[in-house]
Amino acid sequence: MLLNYKHIVGFSPAFELIRKEINFAGPRNCIGFKYGMMSMKTAIAHTIRNLKFSTKLKLEELRFEIDVTLKLVNQHLVTVEIRHE
């Protein structure tokens, strides 16, 4: 969808030239977004590979509260240990 700025008071043809250079969508959208996503995925993979997560709760013992998001009524009983390879 192309935006039409010509009806805006103070429209500048120079701004129109700059606007055409800015890409708001597509595969070249934002290199910072892609870099951030790759960094987060790498951090999560590194964490999961080096740490062991466990809990003593069974699936039947989980109780949820419906709010704006689904919340766990029980405490988050998760233990984290360093993996020994």
Side-chain angles (χ1 to χ4, degrees):
M1 176 176 138
L2 292 176
L3 302 175
N4 188 0
Y5 294 101
K6 293 179 181 175
H7 67 279
I8 297 174
V9 176
F11 171 76
S12 167
F15 176 74
E16 184 69 18
L17 292 173
I18 293 170
R19 185 186 68 83
K20 287 182 181 177
E21 297 295 322
I22 300 172
N23 187 6
F24 289 102
R28 292 174 271 142
N29 185 12
C30 177
I31 193 168
F33 177 76
K34 288 182 181 180
Y35 176 74
M37 288 299 290
M38 285 191 329
S39 297
M40 291 303 296
K41 288 177 183 180
T42 303
I44 291 170
H46 182 64
T47 302
I48 291 173
R49 177 179 289 168
N50 293 319
L51 299 175
K52 178 182 176 184
F53 298 89
S54 60
T55 183
K56 293 182 180 178
L57 283 176
K58 293 188 171 63
L59 189 59
E60 299 83 29
E61 297 173 354
L62 294 178
R63 299 289 175 252
F64 297 101
E65 175 183 323
I66 299 175
D67 200 6
V68 174
T69 60
L70 194 61
K71 295 182 180 179
L72 187 61
V73 174
N74 310 42
Q75 292 181 357
H76 298 280
L77 303 172
V78 177
T79 57
V80 181
E81 300 172 14
I82 296 175
R83 289 185 191 258
H84 298 289
E85 295 181 15

